[in-house]
Amino acid sequence: MLGKLYHFVAYDVKVKCRIYSTVSTVSVCPWQTAVVQKKMARENGQHYVNLKSMIKYEMENSLLVQKSTSGTKAILLLHRGLEFTCEFLKEMMKEEEEPKLGEIASKIYLSTTGSYQATYLREPFSCVLKMLPTRATLRNRIAKGKEEVEEKVLRLLPEAIKSVTETYDAVQKIYRENNLLDMSSWSQIQSKNAEGGPGGKTDTQ
């Protein structure tokens, strides 16, 4: 079970790093999510070439809340998991084994990604995280038992964490500026934008 959990975490990290690796302060990024890729293939795909233009387009055209997942929602859901990923990687780098990685990972999850999820998802996943192996064991699994690979991973992680953190901050700033961090308010935002009509300000709350 721990092996499957590790692969889940590793895949989650891989996907998020792909999505955010090229996001700059102006948020230019090649989308890797199926949701956004599908929208890019449509006739309005030119609006999905970067985060700012996508949010602007979906806000102005009342596309934030719809039957299918909007691009703005898809990226926000991934973004919410990025904070957990960063903090988890920081813990995995530490040499000391106390407090236990599983306990720390569970606390990080509950204070980040888990805080947005339903109880029926949050509680079992939090318990599973507590069963994570030691930091040394997890690093050894990543390196497949090769000491030189583990040393290389430890050398590269600080820069990777720095880049991901900068990306998280940039994306967080864009969503905050558009008052979109709380999805429960999106319906109200969409209604106000619709009342304003075409050309209305998209940041009116």
Side-chain angles (χ1 to χ4, degrees):
M1 181 173 67
L2 293 179
K4 291 182 178 179
L5 175 61
Y6 160 68
H7 286 299
F8 169 78
V9 173
Y11 177 75
D12 190 54
V13 171
K14 183 178 180 181
V15 169
K16 290 178 175 61
C17 284
R18 280 182 178 177
I19 292 173
Y20 292 104
S21 61
T22 58
V23 177
S24 65
T25 54
V26 293
S27 296
V28 178
C29 63
W31 307 113
Q32 300 295 327
T33 62
V35 171
V36 180
Q37 284 180 332
K38 185 176 180 180
K39 293 180 183 297
M40 287 182 70
R42 296 176 179 172
E43 60 182 35
N44 294 317
Q46 72 272 17
H47 298 291
Y48 290 84
V49 295
N50 64 65
L51 184 56
K52 286 185 175 180
S53 67
M54 179 190 72
I55 289 177
K56 182 176 185 295
Y57 172 72
E58 292 194 339
M59 290 184 72
E60 290 180 345
N61 291 276
S62 300
L63 297 174
L64 292 177
V65 181
Q66 51 183 306
K67 289 184 179 180
S68 60
T69 302
S70 66
T72 303
K73 180 179 179 180
I75 298 304
L76 179 58
L77 292 176
L78 285 169
H79 174 68
R80 285 176 172 178
L82 194 62
E83 186 177 9
F84 166 78
T85 301
C86 289
E87 295 304 316
F88 179 81
L89 290 176
K90 290 177 185 177
E91 284 296 326
M92 199 173 67
M93 287 179 59
K94 295 180 179 179
E95 291 295 334
E96 64 271 16
E97 292 295 350
E98 293 295 338
K100 294 181 179 179
L101 179 61
E103 292 293 334
I104 293 296
S106 179
K107 289 181 180 179
I108 293 173
Y109 164 73
L110 290 174
S111 66
T112 57
T113 310
S115 64
Y116 300 103
Q117 296 179 335
T119 303
Y120 74 91
L121 290 174
R122 183 170 61 246
E123 291 185 350
F125 192 67
S126 173
C127 290
V128 172
L129 282 172
K130 291 180 180 180
M131 299 173 66
L132 279 170
T134 64
R135 293 168 176 79
T137 299
L138 194 53
R139 289 197 300 265
N140 185 264
R141 288 183 183 178
I142 294 173
K144 297 181 179 179
K146 298 179 180 179
E147 186 175 342
E148 64 275 15
V149 175
E150 183 174 341
E151 291 176 354
K152 183 176 181 180
V153 169
L154 289 174
R155 287 199 307 270
L156 294 175
L157 270 178
E159 186 59 33
I161 291 172
K162 179 177 180 292
S163 296
V164 173
T165 300
E166 290 174 350
T167 298
Y168 175 87
D169 291 341
V171 175
Q172 182 81 355
K173 182 175 183 290
I174 292 173
Y175 274 84
R176 183 173 59 248
E177 288 175 345
N178 287 281
N179 298 312
L180 295 175
L181 288 171
D182 181 8
M183 283 195 289
S184 65
S185 67
W186 286 14
S187 293
Q188 183 179 5
I189 292 173
Q190 187 158 292
S191 296
K192 287 185 177 181
N193 287 341
E195 291 172 2
K201 293 184 179 180
T202 60
D203 58 354
T204 300
Q205 295 298 305

